[in-house]
Amino acid sequence: KLDALNAPRIERKARIKKILEEFDKLPVNINRIEHARLGRMADEGFDTVLYHGTWKSQDPDNPWEYLRPGKGEGQDIYGEGIYLGDESLANIFAGDVGIPGQMESRIYPAMVRGEKIFDMKKFRKARDETYKNVHMDWTIPDEKSRELAYDKARAEYMESLGFPGLHNVDFHDITTKGLDKRANILKKLGYQGFREGDTAIVWDPKNIRSPYA
């Protein structure tokens, strides 16, 4: 259980190490600056690099200076927020960067707090494992006490799988009751967005940093 609880912190250190190793290839004077800057970002929890692709400037007066959250319309199938992914996914949404007719296409690199992005695929797997291994204790005679004990055991098991804080949370509210319900629950738990497949959604642009800032 202890190893499972430490896993997010260990993964975070590994991601930071990988980023810093890339900067080791830069000239020494640039390398020192980048190490110091990324170190400060890592101290604030910004340890994961994702990308946002777009085929047009989001602000004609100040192009390419910030990301504006989607409104949950059209291709924004996961609701309001800033949509991010790996470089290949971002390139799809940017179109073929640089071709005639799409001269405004851009891919924004973005640093996010990896541990604050709720991974839906991992959650579903952990939820199914919990349902399989945690059961109602029918030897407890009082119905309310029995349900409280079940909720406690279920939440503790989920915590051992890397999902803390799920006491008194209906798992179906996260997976099947709509995006607004999901967002409200996850925000209360301290998350800043969620990942669904290859796509990550961050609700507030304040929770994104440019790796070059």
Side-chain angles (χ1 to χ4, degrees), residues 165-179:
L166 294 179
H167 290 278
N168 301 315
V169 174
D170 187 334
F171 295 169
H172 294 292
D173 286 348
I174 296 177
T175 55
T176 63
K177 296 296 181 67
L179 294 169

Side-chain angles (χ1 to χ4, degrees), residues 51 85-93:
Y51 301 86
D86 62 17
E87 287 184 89
S88 59
L89 181 63
N91 196 54
I92 292 173
F93 284 93

Side-chain angles (χ1 to χ4, degrees), residues 8-46:
R9 180 170 57 85
I10 295 171
E11 291 176 2
R12 176 181 166 189
K13 286 186 176 181
R15 289 196 297 269
I16 295 171
K17 181 180 179 182
K18 184 176 180 180
I19 294 170
L20 293 178
E21 284 174 350
E22 290 299 313
F23 283 103
D24 282 338
K25 303 172 185 178
L26 296 172
V28 173
N29 60 331
I30 300 177
N31 182 19
R32 288 172 181 165
I33 295 171
E34 295 301 332
H35 266 265
R37 184 176 54 76
L38 283 173
R40 290 193 298 270
M41 293 180 69
D43 288 342
E44 297 176 4
F46 293 95

